[in-house]
Amino acid sequence: MSSTKQWTVAVPALVLVAGGCSADHYSRRAERSAQSLLHQSDEAVLGEREATTAYPDLLPPEPESAEESPAPAEPAPAPAPRVLDLPTALAIAYGTSRDMIDRRELLHLQALSLSSSRHDFAPQLAMTLAYVFDDPADELHQNTSTAAFSASQILPTGGRLTLDAEGSKGESEDASPAYGSLVSVALVQPLLRGGGHAVVYEPLIQAERNLVYAIRDFELFREDFSIDVARRYYDLVNRKQSIENQQASLESNEFGLRQAEALFAVGRTSELDVLRARRSMLTAQNSLLEAQEGLHLALDLFRIFLGLPESELVDVQPFSPAFTPVEYEMNSAVEVALQNRLDFLNRREQLEDVVRGVSLARNGLLPDLDLRLGTSYATGDSIEPPFGADLERANTSLSVTLGVPLDRLDERNAYRAAEIALGRARRDLEQFEDQLRVQIQSSFRELTRRLKSLDIQRQLIADQTKNLGIAELRFERGDIPNRDVVEARQSLLDAQNALIDEQVNYEIERLQLLRDLGILFIDDTGMWKG
């Protein structure tokens, strides 16, 4: 094989090998670079962490004997918690809750946005003052002072009227002052694309409607917020009453243990019954401790939710919600919701916004046809003051400009996107209305179910109370083991707690239904009316 042929074969092979090796080489270099950066960053971020970490103080060592133990110091009295009822909790939440403050500020930001939009369509005024110092070393130096003023206004027809005025004065040591002035007025009126009140004023129209939507959303938030406060408040009431029930159950279990031990002492029961009674008592103690700790944590979280400082402890009055029946007819309630619901009104009016968007996109497909009318008056260097009466130097012009739409690809796509958005908005509104109907009907069924559940729980409490009395009597006579007493006591506790849950759930469901119907009205303190 000739040397030329050898090079012809070898060169591509060397290129392929070098390319493959180069890729692996770069990959390894990148990996080593990343590992080096990670090692350096790890040392910089975590290198001194163990040496600089703070630890809590250790408990003092236990004394070796009772004689060495110091007298226990009197604990500082804990500050009395602030006991809240529901109206007070709502009023505090409306004033200091971080969530409420954030939403109120968002509403204010929306109002500021509208203020800016309105300013854009008001007369726009500007003025500048300037003084130019020329080089004194120049024999022809001249200091110049200038004042310029401009004003513009968007017209209801979509046009723009502008006014510009400028005056200048040049001063030198060896010459009289020289004045110059310029006044111009121009009107630009789009006749097709970009013209008309609806097109030009769309930003202002949308900003005003956005504020309406924001106000409705904020009112819905206020309603949801009040329900949330009530839910949290009643959860605390529920916990407190549950603790009271568990405390009563513990006392009953302690009595059952003493009773079992007394009966075992006289040979009327077995040691198994004593052990069972002790286990039940210990279980009740543990459940009570867990419930108390859960209540303490829930109160702290409620305080944080209200926006109160850590130093201000809170508690709630242990009052269950009053029962308020719902006496509305379901079918009429659905129609009322379609008239009153603020979010449904927003969605329906937002569909109108999308319809306007289609019209605006359609306008963007038109040719550019602009009418411009302008006049100006200028004076050059003159010894007369500016803005004199030499009107012969005025210049007036009238022009019509037509832009041929050779390329409307972006506008065409925007128009098609607006049509698609309109179809989606209509479907979304229909789906929201269907879901709203189902939601209202479901709420009525849920309230009916909870009414029946309340009756069932009250009957269960009556039955379990009677069952516990019978079980305790039969156990005293030695007819049954104390297992039946323990089970009856637990069943009564469960029924009592379940009744509290149902009372709270019914009230929250009722408030939610009023909110969904658009008839839950909130006063300035967050309390609902009626």
Side-chain angles (χ1 to χ4, degrees), residues 135-148:
D135 186 2
D138 190 349
E139 295 181 357
L140 301 178
H141 76 278
Q142 184 181 37
N143 297 334
T144 306
S145 57
T146 305

Side-chain angles (χ1 to χ4, degrees), residues 12 15 17 21 39 62-63 70 169 171 205 300 346 434 477 506 521:
V15 170
V17 172
C21 294
H39 177 73
E62 292 290 337
K169 178 183 178 181
E171 297 176 306
I205 295 172
D300 284 342
N346 274 359
D434 293 340
R477 293 192 309 216
Y506 177 86
F521 300 102

